[in-house]
Amino acid sequence: MGLSLYVVLGSAVVGLLVGLTGAGGGALMTPMLILLFSVKPAAAISSDLVAAVVMRPVGAAVHLHKGTVNLRMVGLMTLGSVPMAFLGSFLLREMDGSQVGQQHVEIALGAALLVGASAMVLRYVLDRRSGRKRTGAIREVTLRPVPTVLIGMIGGLIVGITSVGAGSLMIILLLFTYPLLSAGQLVGTDLTQAVPLTAAAALGALTFGHVEFGVTASIIVGSVPAVLIGSLLSSRAPDKYIRPAITFVIFASGLKYVGVPTYPLGFVMGGILLAGGAYWLAMLRPQRLRGRGEPAPALAPAAVPEAAGGAPERAETPLDDVPAR
């Protein structure tokens, strides 16, 4: 199979989401290849993993250049993720590649993502009410070694068993473990730690999988420039734009993992986009009207200069209301 224009275009959309949010790659790319382009599941999984070895370092390089990566945090996550990825591959072999076992894991992951997306919405509401902002510096953050390693272990195990990325779940866990950091900073850190994890998984795919290099090339051609653009946006965009995008992609990934078919999923997510756009316009319009209709502040009488043709009027004070004796 040679280059496919449709696979290139579809990969560009997914690549943009990966660069923007650090999530959704495995959950969206592999089902797209299987359901829309009739690629065999084993070939879709293996080809996606090999393409990710080229795709994710591009996004990581952008964030490293912008200074939105904590390399010590990356090291701690890698310490947990790479060994657990191999353990997951071993467990998958022990299950004899059981589709039932993988489906149970994916459904559990999907449920966790849906709960996590709901928790992110709740967290956003609470942060807005309290006025709390994520203003911490990624390089100055106080690391929490044990939770960070555990996050890497969870993500690595999921990659090993299901052969798909766990960036969505890891982003959720990072957002709650480091509440003062912006989403863009955590996206950069997650993309960077995914490089060695994806390389380990791709090595297994090349050894034991069924890679279709035409599919892999199409994914690379479409996704790499899109990941570059998405990473540039996420490294610069304000947190209030990145967090809704992450929540949207995680919610879509969760629905896909629990088994929602592609077309209903498209209608649901399209409806959410329309509802979100309508809400944004409804909130924006009153602000513009208030900005246009706000009267100009009147000058106080005492502020009239004497050169205007007379003595300035004396400003009234509360003492003027006191009756004379």
Side-chain angles (χ1 to χ4, degrees):
M1 179 179 178
L3 285 175
S4 169
L5 177 61
Y6 296 109
V7 175
V8 170
L9 294 176
S11 301
V13 175
V14 177
L16 182 65
L17 293 174
V18 171
L20 188 63
T21 68
L28 299 179
M29 186 77 78
T30 302
M32 179 192 73
L33 294 174
I34 296 171
L35 299 174
L36 298 184
F37 305 114
S38 301
V39 180
K40 293 181 179 180
I45 291 171
S46 300
S47 301
D48 180 27
L49 282 173
V50 174
V53 176
V54 180
M55 178 177 64
R56 290 190 180 274
V58 174
V62 172
H63 282 275
L64 284 168
H65 179 69
K66 296 295 182 181
T68 55
V69 177
N70 187 309
L71 291 177
R72 291 179 59 200
M73 191 184 300
V74 169
L76 289 172
M77 295 176 70
T78 304
L79 183 65
S81 65
V82 172
M84 292 302 288
F86 285 106
L87 176 60
S89 300
F90 172 76
L91 294 175
L92 181 62
R93 190 187 70 177
E94 291 298 307
M95 291 188 294
D96 294 327
S98 170
Q99 280 293 114
V100 176
Q102 290 192 55
Q103 286 176 359
H104 288 326
V105 173
E106 291 181 8
I107 290 174
L109 174 60
L113 292 179
L114 293 176
V115 171
S118 302
M120 289 178 67
V121 173
L122 177 62
R123 186 62 180 265
Y124 171 76
V125 173
L126 294 176
D127 285 352
R128 187 168 182 178
R129 286 185 177 181
S130 64
R132 186 180 186 184
K133 296 183 178 180
R134 295 174 178 263
T135 57
I138 187 69
R139 295 179 179 177
E140 300 174 2
V141 65
T142 301
L143 291 178
R144 303 178 61 188
V146 174
T148 305
V149 173
L150 287 175
I151 291 172
M153 293 174 67
I154 293 170
L157 184 64
I158 293 171
V159 168
I161 293 178
T162 66
S163 298
V164 296
S168 302
L169 183 60
M170 297 172 83
I171 280 289
I172 291 174
L173 297 175
L174 286 173
L175 283 168
F176 282 90
T177 303
Y178 298 98
L180 294 181
L181 294 180
S182 69
Q185 293 175 327
L186 296 181
V187 167
T189 299
D190 179 64
L191 279 173
T192 305
Q193 71 81 31
V195 173
L197 174 58
T198 305
L203 181 61
L206 286 170
T207 305
F208 304 108
H210 305 279
V211 179
E212 289 192 10
F213 290 99
V215 175
T216 301
S218 299
I219 295 173
I220 291 173
V221 170
S223 63
V224 169
V227 166
L228 178 62
I229 295 171
S231 299
L232 287 170
L233 292 175
S234 65
S235 64
R236 298 178 178 181
D239 200 56
K240 64 180 180 179
Y241 299 127
I242 299 300
R243 287 176 70 185
I246 292 176
T247 305
F248 180 83
V249 174
I250 288 174
F251 185 68
S253 303
L255 290 178
K256 192 63 196 174
Y257 274 127
V258 298
V260 177
T262 301
Y263 291 110
L265 177 62
F267 284 120
V268 170
M269 302 315 294
I272 292 176
L273 281 177
L274 290 175
Y279 174 77
W280 181 72
L281 290 175
M283 295 294 293
L284 185 64
R285 187 177 179 183
Q287 294 176 2
R288 288 183 173 178
L289 291 177
R290 285 197 299 268
R292 292 175 181 177
E294 191 174 42
L299 289 175
V304 179
E306 296 184 22
E313 296 182 7
R314 185 170 54 90
E316 293 184 359
T317 65
L319 294 179
D320 293 330
D321 297 330
V322 180
R325 294 182 179 178

